[in-house]
Coordinates of all heavy atoms in Angstrom, one line a residue:
M468 N 0.8 -1.2 0.0 CA 0.1 0.0 0.0 C 0.8 1.2 0.1 O 1.9 1.3 0.9 CB -0.9 -0.1 1.3 CG -1.7 1.2 1.5 SD -3.4 1.0 2.1 CE -3.4 -0.7 3.0
S469 N 0.6 2.1 -0.9 CA 1.4 3.4 -0.8 C 0.8 4.3 0.1 O -0.4 4.0 0.7 CB 1.5 3.9 -2.3 OG 0.6 5.0 -2.5
L470 N 1.5 5.4 0.5 CA 1.0 6.3 1.3 C 0.4 7.6 0.6 O 0.8 7.8 -0.5 CB 2.1 6.8 2.4 CG 2.5 5.6 3.1 CD1 3.5 6.1 4.3 CD2 1.6 4.7 3.8
I471 N -0.4 8.4 1.4 CA -1.0 9.5 0.7 C -0.9 10.8 1.6 O -1.0 10.5 2.9 CB -2.5 9.3 0.2 CG1 -3.0 10.4 -0.6 CG2 -3.3 8.9 1.4 CD1 -4.2 10.1 -1.3
I472 N -0.7 11.8 1.1 CA -0.6 13.1 2.0 C -1.9 13.9 1.9 O -2.3 14.1 0.9 CB 0.7 14.0 1.4 CG1 1.9 13.2 1.5 CG2 0.7 15.3 2.3 CD1 3.2 13.9 1.0
S473 N -2.3 14.2 3.0 CA -3.8 14.9 3.1 C -3.5 16.4 3.0 O -2.4 16.9 3.1 CB -4.5 14.6 4.3 OG -3.8 15.4 5.4
D474 N -4.6 17.1 2.8 CA -4.5 18.5 2.6 C -4.2 19.3 3.9 O -4.1 20.5 3.8 CB -5.8 19.1 1.9 CG -7.0 18.9 2.9 OD1 -6.9 18.5 4.0 OD2 -8.2 19.0 2.3
E475 N -3.8 18.6 5.0 CA -3.4 19.2 6.1 C -1.8 19.5 6.0 O -1.2 20.2 6.9 CB -3.6 18.3 7.3 CG -5.0 18.4 7.8 CD -5.3 17.3 8.8 OE1 -4.5 17.1 9.6 OE2 -6.4 16.7 8.6
C476 N -1.4 19.0 4.8 CA 0.2 19.3 4.6 C 0.5 20.8 4.7 O -0.2 21.6 3.9 CB 0.6 18.7 3.3 SG 2.2 19.2 2.6
I477 N 1.5 21.1 5.3 CA 1.9 22.6 5.5 C 3.1 23.0 4.6 O 3.7 23.9 4.7 CB 2.2 23.0 7.0 CG1 3.4 22.0 7.6 CG2 1.1 22.9 7.8 CD1 3.9 22.5 9.0
N478 N 3.4 22.1 3.7 CA 4.4 22.3 2.6 C 5.8 22.6 3.3 O 6.6 23.5 3.0 CB 4.1 23.4 1.7 CG 3.0 22.9 0.8 OD1 3.0 22.0 0.1 ND2 1.9 23.8 0.8
C479 N 6.2 21.9 4.5 CA 7.4 22.1 5.1 C 8.7 21.6 4.5 O 9.7 21.8 4.8 CB 7.3 21.6 6.6 SG 7.3 19.9 6.7
D480 N 8.5 20.6 3.5 CA 9.6 20.0 2.7 C 10.6 19.0 3.6 O 11.6 18.8 3.2 CB 10.5 21.1 2.2 CG 11.4 20.4 1.2 OD1 11.0 19.5 0.4 OD2 12.6 20.9 1.1
V481 N 10.1 18.8 4.8 CA 10.9 17.8 5.7 C 10.9 16.3 5.1 O 11.9 15.7 5.2 CB 10.3 17.8 7.2 CG1 11.0 16.7 7.9 CG2 10.8 19.1 7.8
C482 N 9.7 15.9 4.5 CA 9.7 14.6 4.1 C 10.3 14.3 2.9 O 10.9 13.1 2.7 CB 8.1 14.1 3.9 SG 7.3 15.1 2.9
E483 N 10.4 15.1 1.9 CA 10.9 14.9 0.6 C 12.4 14.2 0.7 O 12.5 13.2 0.0 CB 10.8 16.1 -0.3 CG 11.4 15.8 -1.7 CD 11.6 17.0 -2.5 OE1 11.1 18.1 -2.1 OE2 11.8 16.9 -3.7
P484 N 13.2 14.8 1.3 CA 14.7 14.3 1.3 C 14.8 13.0 2.2 O 15.8 12.4 1.9 CB 15.4 15.4 2.0 CG 14.5 16.3 2.8 CD 13.2 16.2 2.1
E485 N 13.8 12.7 2.9 CA 13.9 11.5 3.7 C 13.3 10.2 3.0 O 13.7 9.1 3.4 CB 13.0 11.6 5.0 CG 13.5 12.7 5.9 CD 14.8 12.5 6.4 OE1 15.2 11.4 6.6 OE2 15.5 13.5 6.6
C486 N 12.7 10.3 1.9 CA 12.2 9.2 1.2 C 13.3 8.5 0.3 O 13.9 9.1 -0.6 CB 11.1 9.7 0.2 SG 10.4 8.4 -0.7
P487 N 13.6 7.3 0.5 CA 14.5 6.5 -0.1 C 14.2 6.2 -1.5 O 15.2 5.8 -2.3 CB 14.7 5.2 0.7 CG 13.4 5.0 1.4 CD 12.8 6.4 1.6
N488 N 13.0 6.3 -1.8 CA 12.7 6.0 -3.2 C 12.5 7.1 -4.1 O 12.0 7.0 -5.3 CB 11.4 5.2 -3.3 CG 11.6 3.8 -2.5 OD1 12.6 3.2 -2.7 ND2 10.6 3.4 -1.8
G489 N 12.5 8.4 -3.5 CA 12.3 9.6 -4.3 C 10.8 9.7 -4.8 O 10.5 10.3 -5.8
A490 N 10.0 9.3 -3.8 CA 8.5 9.1 -4.3 C 7.7 10.4 -3.9 O 6.7 10.6 -4.4 CB 7.8 8.0 -3.6
I491 N 8.4 11.3 -3.2 CA 7.7 12.6 -2.7 C 8.1 13.7 -3.5 O 9.4 13.9 -3.7 CB 8.1 12.7 -1.3 CG1 7.5 11.5 -0.4 CG2 7.2 14.0 -0.6 CD1 7.8 11.5 1.1
S492 N 7.2 14.5 -3.9 CA 7.6 15.8 -4.6 C 6.5 16.8 -4.3 O 5.5 16.6 -3.8 CB 7.5 15.6 -6.0 OG 6.3 15.1 -6.5
Q493 N 6.8 18.1 -4.6 CA 5.9 19.1 -4.4 C 4.9 19.3 -5.4 O 5.4 19.3 -6.7 CB 6.7 20.5 -4.3 CG 6.0 21.6 -3.8 CD 6.8 22.9 -3.6 OE1 8.0 22.9 -3.9 NE2 6.2 23.8 -2.8
G494 N 3.7 19.1 -5.1 CA 2.6 19.2 -6.1 C 2.1 20.6 -6.2 O 2.9 21.6 -5.7
D495 N 0.9 20.8 -6.9 CA 0.4 22.1 -7.2 C 0.2 22.8 -5.8 O 0.4 24.1 -5.7 CB -0.8 22.1 -8.0 CG -0.6 21.6 -9.4 OD1 0.6 21.8 -9.8 OD2 -1.6 21.1 -10.1
E496 N -0.4 22.2 -4.9 CA -0.8 22.8 -3.5 C -0.1 22.3 -2.4 O 0.2 23.0 -1.4 CB -2.3 22.8 -3.4 CG -3.1 23.7 -4.5 CD -4.6 23.8 -4.2 OE1 -5.0 23.2 -3.4 OE2 -5.2 24.3 -5.1
I497 N 0.0 20.9 -2.4 CA 0.7 20.3 -1.3 C 1.6 19.2 -1.8 O 1.8 19.0 -3.0 CB -0.2 19.6 -0.4 CG1 -1.2 18.5 -1.2 CG2 -1.2 20.6 0.5 CD1 -2.1 17.6 -0.3
Y498 N 2.4 18.6 -0.9 CA 3.4 17.6 -1.3 C 2.7 16.3 -1.6 O 1.6 16.1 -1.2 CB 4.3 17.4 -0.3 CG 5.6 18.3 -0.4 CD1 5.3 19.6 0.0 CD2 6.7 17.9 -0.8 CE1 6.4 20.6 -0.1 CE2 7.8 18.7 -0.8 CZ 7.7 20.0 -0.5 OH 8.8 20.9 -0.7
V499 N 3.1 15.6 -2.7 CA 2.4 14.4 -3.0 C 3.4 13.2 -3.2 O 4.6 13.3 -3.3 CB 1.8 14.6 -4.4 CG1 0.7 15.6 -4.5 CG2 2.9 15.0 -5.5
I500 N 2.8 12.0 -3.2 CA 3.5 10.8 -3.1 C 3.1 10.0 -4.5 O 1.9 9.7 -4.7 CB 3.2 9.8 -2.0 CG1 3.7 10.6 -0.6 CG2 3.9 8.5 -2.0 CD1 3.3 9.9 0.6
D501 N 4.2 9.6 -5.2 CA 4.0 8.8 -6.4 C 3.7 7.3 -5.9 O 4.6 6.8 -5.4 CB 5.2 8.9 -7.4 CG 4.9 8.0 -8.6 OD1 4.0 7.2 -8.6 OD2 5.8 8.4 -9.4
P502 N 2.4 6.9 -6.0 CA 2.1 5.4 -5.6 C 3.0 4.4 -6.3 O 3.2 3.3 -5.8 CB 0.7 5.2 -5.8 CG 0.3 6.3 -6.9 CD 1.3 7.5 -6.7
T503 N 3.5 4.7 -7.5 CA 4.4 3.7 -8.2 C 5.7 3.6 -7.6 O 6.5 2.6 -7.9 CB 4.5 3.9 -9.8 OG1 5.2 5.2 -9.8 CG2 3.1 4.1 -10.2
Q504 N 6.1 4.6 -6.8 CA 7.4 4.5 -6.2 C 7.5 4.4 -4.7 O 8.5 4.3 -4.1 CB 8.2 5.8 -6.6 CG 8.4 5.9 -8.0 CD 9.3 7.2 -8.4 OE1 9.0 8.2 -8.5 NE2 10.7 6.9 -8.5
C505 N 6.3 4.5 -4.0 CA 6.3 4.2 -2.6 C 6.2 2.9 -2.2 O 5.3 2.2 -2.8 CB 5.2 5.1 -2.1 SG 5.0 4.8 -0.2
T506 N 7.2 2.4 -1.4 CA 7.1 1.1 -0.9 C 6.8 0.8 0.6 O 6.9 -0.1 1.1 CB 8.5 0.3 -1.2 OG1 9.5 1.0 -0.4 CG2 8.9 0.4 -2.6
E507 N 6.3 2.0 1.0 CA 6.0 2.1 2.6 C 7.3 2.0 3.2 O 7.4 1.6 4.4 CB 5.1 1.2 3.2 CG 3.7 1.3 2.9 CD 2.7 0.4 3.8 OE1 2.9 0.1 4.8 OE2 1.8 -0.2 3.0
C508 N 8.4 2.2 2.4 CA 9.8 2.1 3.0 C 10.3 0.7 3.0 O 11.3 0.5 3.6 CB 10.1 2.8 4.2 SG 10.3 4.7 3.9
V509 N 9.4 -0.3 2.7 CA 9.8 -1.7 2.8 C 11.1 -1.9 1.9 O 11.2 -1.3 0.9 CB 8.6 -2.6 2.2 CG1 9.2 -3.9 1.9 CG2 7.4 -2.6 3.3
G510 N 12.1 -2.5 2.4 CA 13.4 -2.8 1.7 C 14.4 -1.8 2.2 O 15.6 -2.1 2.1
H511 N 14.0 -0.7 2.7 CA 14.8 0.3 3.1 C 14.9 0.5 4.7 O 16.0 0.4 5.3 CB 14.6 1.7 2.5 CG 14.8 1.6 1.0 ND1 16.0 1.9 0.5 CD2 14.0 1.7 0.2 CE1 16.1 1.9 -0.9 NE2 14.7 1.8 -1.0
Y512 N 13.7 0.6 5.2 CA 13.6 0.9 6.8 C 12.5 0.2 7.3 O 11.5 -0.4 6.5 CB 13.4 2.3 7.0 CG 14.4 3.2 6.4 CD1 14.2 4.1 5.2 CD2 15.6 3.4 7.1 CE1 15.1 5.0 4.7 CE2 16.5 4.3 6.7 CZ 16.3 5.0 5.5 OH 17.4 5.9 5.0
D513 N 12.4 0.0 8.6 CA 11.3 -0.8 9.2 C 10.0 0.0 9.4 O 8.9 -0.6 9.4 CB 11.8 -1.1 10.7 CG 12.8 -2.2 10.8 OD1 13.0 -2.9 9.7 OD2 13.5 -2.2 11.8
T514 N 10.1 1.4 9.3 CA 8.9 2.2 9.3 C 9.0 3.3 8.2 O 10.0 3.7 7.8 CB 8.9 3.0 10.7 OG1 10.0 3.7 10.8 CG2 8.8 2.0 11.8
P515 N 7.8 3.6 7.8 CA 7.9 4.8 6.7 C 8.4 6.0 7.3 O 8.0 6.6 8.3 CB 6.2 5.1 6.6 CG 5.7 3.8 6.9 CD 6.5 3.2 8.1
Q516 N 9.5 6.5 6.7 CA 10.2 7.6 7.2 C 9.5 8.9 7.0 O 9.6 9.8 7.8 CB 11.5 7.6 6.3 CG 12.5 6.6 6.5 CD 12.8 6.3 8.0 OE1 13.6 7.1 8.5 NE2 12.4 5.3 8.7
C517 N 8.7 9.0 5.9 CA 7.9 10.3 5.9 C 7.0 10.5 7.1 O 6.9 11.6 7.6 CB 7.1 10.3 4.5 SG 6.1 9.0 4.3
I518 N 6.4 9.5 7.5 CA 5.4 9.5 8.6 C 6.2 9.8 9.9 O 5.8 10.6 10.8 CB 4.7 8.1 8.8 CG1 3.7 8.1 7.7 CG2 4.0 8.2 10.3 CD1 2.8 6.7 7.9
E519 N 7.5 9.3 10.0 CA 8.3 9.6 11.2 C 8.6 11.1 11.3 O 8.7 11.6 12.4 CB 9.6 8.8 11.0 CG 9.5 7.3 11.1 CD 9.3 6.8 12.5 OE1 9.8 7.3 13.4 OE2 8.7 5.8 12.6
V520 N 8.8 11.7 10.2 CA 9.4 13.1 10.3 C 8.3 14.2 10.1 O 8.5 15.3 10.4 CB 10.4 13.4 9.2 CG1 11.7 12.5 9.5 CG2 9.9 13.2 7.8
C521 N 7.0 13.8 9.5 CA 6.0 14.9 9.3 C 5.6 15.5 10.6 O 5.1 14.8 11.6 CB 4.9 14.2 8.5 SG 3.5 15.3 8.2
P522 N 5.7 16.7 10.7 CA 5.3 17.4 11.9 C 3.8 17.5 12.2 O 3.4 17.8 13.2 CB 5.8 18.9 11.8 CG 6.0 19.1 10.4 CD 6.2 17.7 9.7
V523 N 3.1 17.3 11.1 CA 1.6 17.5 11.4 C 0.7 16.3 11.2 O -0.5 16.2 11.1 CB 1.0 18.6 10.4 CG1 1.5 20.0 10.8 CG2 1.3 18.3 9.0
D524 N 1.5 15.2 11.1 CA 0.9 13.8 10.9 C -0.2 13.7 9.8 O -1.3 13.3 10.1 CB 0.3 13.4 12.3 CG 1.4 13.1 13.3 OD1 2.5 12.7 13.0 OD2 1.0 13.3 14.4
C525 N 0.3 14.1 8.7 CA -0.9 14.2 7.6 C -0.7 13.2 6.5 O -1.1 13.3 5.5 CB -0.9 15.7 7.0 SG 0.6 16.1 6.1
I526 N 0.2 12.1 6.9 CA 0.5 11.2 5.9 C -0.2 9.8 6.4 O 0.2 9.5 7.5 CB 2.0 11.0 5.7 CG1 2.6 12.3 5.4 CG2 2.3 9.8 4.5 CD1 4.1 12.3 5.2
S527 N -0.8 9.1 5.6 CA -1.4 7.9 6.0 C -1.4 6.9 4.7 O -1.1 7.2 3.8 CB -2.9 8.1 6.4 OG -3.6 8.8 5.3
K528 N -2.0 5.7 5.2 CA -2.1 4.6 4.1 C -3.2 5.0 3.1 O -4.3 5.5 3.5 CB -2.3 3.3 4.8 CG -1.2 2.8 5.5 CD -1.3 1.4 5.8 CE 0.1 0.9 6.5 NZ 0.1 -0.7 6.8
D529 N -2.9 4.8 1.9 CA -3.8 5.2 0.8 C -4.6 3.8 0.4 O -4.2 2.9 -0.2 CB -3.1 5.6 -0.5 CG -4.0 6.0 -1.6 OD1 -5.2 5.9 -1.4 OD2 -3.5 6.5 -2.6
P530 N -6.0 3.9 0.9 CA -6.8 2.7 0.4 C -7.0 2.4 -0.9 O -7.4 1.4 -1.3 CB -8.2 3.0 1.2 CG -8.1 4.4 1.6 CD -6.7 4.9 1.6
A531 N -6.7 3.4 -1.8 CA -6.9 3.2 -3.2 C -5.7 2.5 -3.8 O -5.7 2.1 -5.0 CB -6.9 4.5 -3.9
H532 N -4.6 2.3 -2.9 CA -3.4 1.6 -3.4 C -3.0 0.5 -2.4 O -2.0 0.6 -1.7 CB -2.2 2.5 -3.8 CG -2.6 3.4 -4.9 ND1 -3.0 4.8 -4.8 CD2 -2.4 3.3 -6.2 CE1 -3.1 5.3 -5.9 NE2 -2.9 4.4 -6.9
V533 N -3.8 -0.5 -2.3 CA -3.5 -1.6 -1.4 C -2.4 -2.6 -1.9 O -2.7 -3.0 -3.0 CB -4.9 -2.4 -1.0 CG1 -4.5 -3.3 0.0 CG2 -5.8 -1.3 -0.4
E534 N -1.5 -2.8 -1.2 CA -0.4 -3.9 -1.4 C 0.1 -4.5 -0.2 O 0.1 -3.8 0.9 CB 0.7 -3.1 -2.1 CG 0.5 -2.4 -3.4 CD 1.5 -1.5 -3.9 OE1 1.7 -0.3 -3.2 OE2 2.3 -1.9 -4.8
D535 N 0.3 -5.8 -0.2 CA 0.8 -6.4 0.8 C 2.4 -6.3 0.9 O 3.0 -5.9 -0.1 CB 0.3 -7.9 1.0 CG 0.8 -8.8 -0.1 OD1 1.8 -8.4 -0.9 OD2 0.1 -9.7 -0.4
N536 N 3.0 -6.9 1.9 CA 4.5 -6.8 2.0 C 5.2 -7.5 0.8 O 6.3 -7.0 0.5 CB 5.0 -7.4 3.4 CG 5.0 -6.2 4.5 OD1 4.6 -5.2 4.3 ND2 5.8 -6.6 5.4
V537 N 4.8 -8.6 0.3 CA 5.3 -9.2 -0.7 C 5.3 -8.3 -2.0 O 6.4 -8.2 -2.7 CB 4.7 -10.6 -1.0 CG1 5.1 -11.2 -2.2 CG2 4.8 -11.6 0.1
Q538 N 4.2 -7.8 -2.3 CA 4.1 -6.9 -3.3 C 5.0 -5.6 -3.2 O 5.6 -5.1 -4.2 CB 2.7 -6.3 -3.6 CG 1.8 -7.5 -4.1 CD 0.2 -7.1 -3.9 OE1 -0.2 -6.6 -2.9 NE2 -0.5 -7.0 -5.2
L539 N 5.1 -5.1 -1.9 CA 5.9 -4.0 -1.7 C 7.4 -4.3 -1.9 O 8.2 -3.5 -2.5 CB 5.6 -3.4 -0.3 CG 4.3 -2.8 -0.2 CD1 4.1 -2.5 1.4 CD2 4.2 -1.4 -0.8
L540 N 7.8 -5.5 -1.5 CA 9.2 -6.1 -1.6 C 9.6 -6.1 -3.1 O 10.6 -5.7 -3.6 CB 9.4 -7.3 -0.8 CG 10.9 -7.6 -0.5 CD1 11.5 -6.4 0.3 CD2 10.9 -9.0 0.4
K541 N 8.6 -6.6 -3.8 CA 8.8 -6.8 -5.4 C 9.0 -5.3 -6.0 O 9.8 -5.2 -6.9 CB 7.6 -7.4 -5.9 CG 7.7 -9.0 -5.9 CD 6.6 -9.5 -6.8 CE 6.8 -11.2 -6.6 NZ 5.6 -11.9 -7.0
K542 N 8.1 -4.4 -5.5 CA 8.2 -3.0 -6.0 C 9.7 -2.4 -5.7 O 10.3 -1.9 -6.6 CB 7.2 -2.1 -5.5 CG 7.0 -0.8 -6.2 CD 6.1 0.2 -5.3 CE 4.6 -0.2 -5.4 NZ 3.9 1.1 -4.8
Y543 N 10.0 -2.8 -4.5 CA 11.3 -2.4 -4.1 C 12.5 -2.7 -4.9 O 13.3 -2.1 -5.4 CB 11.6 -2.7 -2.6 CG 13.0 -2.6 -2.0 CD1 13.7 -1.5 -1.9 CD2 13.6 -3.8 -2.0 CE1 15.1 -1.5 -1.5 CE2 15.1 -3.9 -1.7 CZ 15.6 -2.7 -1.5 OH 17.0 -2.8 -1.1
E544 N 12.4 -4.1 -5.2 CA 13.5 -4.7 -5.9 C 13.5 -4.3 -7.4 O 14.5 -4.1 -8.0 CB 13.2 -6.3 -6.0 CG 13.6 -7.0 -4.7 CD 13.1 -8.4 -4.5 OE1 12.3 -8.9 -5.3 OE2 13.3 -9.0 -3.5
K545 N 12.2 -4.0 -7.9 CA 12.1 -3.3 -9.2 C 12.7 -1.9 -9.3 O 13.5 -1.6 -10.2 CB 10.6 -3.4 -9.7 CG 10.4 -3.2 -11.1 CD 9.0 -3.2 -11.5 CE 8.6 -2.5 -12.8 NZ 7.2 -2.2 -13.0
L546 N 12.4 -1.2 -8.3 CA 12.9 0.1 -8.3 C 14.5 0.2 -8.2 O 15.0 1.2 -8.6 CB 12.2 0.9 -7.1 CG 10.8 1.3 -7.2 CD1 10.2 1.8 -5.9 CD2 10.6 2.4 -8.3
T547 N 15.0 -0.8 -7.4 CA 16.4 -0.7 -7.1 C 17.2 -1.6 -7.9 O 18.5 -1.6 -7.9 CB 16.7 -1.2 -5.7 OG1 16.2 -2.5 -5.4 CG2 16.0 -0.1 -4.7
S548 N 16.7 -2.4 -8.9 CA 17.4 -3.1 -9.8 C 18.3 -2.3 -10.7 O 17.8 -1.3 -11.3 CB 16.4 -4.0 -10.7 OG 15.7 -3.2 -11.4
G549 N 19.4 -2.7 -10.9 CA 20.3 -1.9 -11.8 C 21.2 -0.9 -11.1 O 22.1 -0.3 -11.6
K550 N 20.7 -0.6 -9.7 CA 21.5 0.3 -8.9 C 22.3 -0.6 -7.9 O 22.2 -1.7 -7.8 CB 20.4 1.0 -8.1 CG 19.7 2.0 -9.0 CD 18.7 2.8 -8.1 CE 17.7 3.6 -8.8 NZ 16.7 4.1 -8.0
D551 N 23.2 0.1 -7.2 CA 24.0 -0.7 -6.2 C 23.2 -1.4 -5.2 O 23.3 -2.4 -4.7 CB 25.0 0.4 -5.7 CG 24.5 1.4 -5.0 OD1 23.9 1.1 -3.9 OD2 24.5 2.6 -5.5
Ligands
SF4_854 S1 6.6 5.6 3.0 FE1 8.8 5.6 2.6 S2 8.8 5.2 0.3 FE2 6.8 5.8 0.9 S3 6.7 8.0 0.5 FE3 7.1 7.7 2.6 S4 9.3 7.7 2.8 FE4 8.8 7.5 0.5
SF4_855 S1 6.4 16.6 6.2 FE1 4.3 16.4 6.2 S2 3.6 18.6 6.3 FE2 5.8 18.6 5.6 S3 5.6 18.5 3.4 FE3 5.8 16.4 3.9 S4 3.7 15.8 4.2 FE4 3.6 18.0 4.1

């Protein structure tokens, strides 16, 4: 399951550099997460780093993009294949 940022986002830019997959970027009004690149940090960390650092707790699981750990690990492997 990828994560989603709600409109409570205050555009503080704290989460973007913490994402190991480069899934977070600044959208038109708030920061956004690319569901094709978010692995819930599976493969990199034990917990979602963006949730850890967000000062207003506006990041949650996106029910529109449900994936289990096996699928997330496959996504991680696909995203990192070819890299060190
Ligand atoms: S959960 Fe991890 S991979 Fe997904 S957007 Fe947050 S920091 Fe990036
Ligand atoms: S850390 Fe939270 S408030 Fe800051 S840009 Fe990311 S989602 Fe928005």
Side-chain angles (χ1 to χ4, degrees):
M468 177 146 14
S469 92
L470 303 189
I471 189 166
I472 297 172
S473 80
D474 59 11
E475 286 165 41
C476 171
I477 56 170
N478 293 307
C479 71
D480 191 39
V481 167
C482 58
E483 184 187 358
E485 297 301 325
C486 179
N488 294 320
I491 303 175
S492 61
Q493 189 167 19
D495 289 339
E496 294 183 0
I497 57 171
Y498 276 69
V499 293
I500 295 173
D501 180 346
T503 66
Q504 291 191 278
C505 174
T506 64
E507 273 187 60
C508 284
V509 166
H511 291 282
Y512 300 104
D513 291 338
T514 54
Q516 297 300 289
C517 53
I518 290 180
E519 296 279 333
V520 298
C521 180
V523 294
D524 291 334
C525 67
I526 308 173
S527 57
K528 293 194 175 190
D529 183 358
H532 294 101
V533 178
E534 292 161 295
D535 62 24
N536 265 20
V537 174
Q538 290 172 304
L539 289 169
L540 202 52
K541 275 190 184 161
K542 193 197 283 189
Y543 160 78
E544 285 165 359
K545 194 174 163 196
L546 287 169
T547 55
S548 62
K550 297 180 191 171
D551 56 74

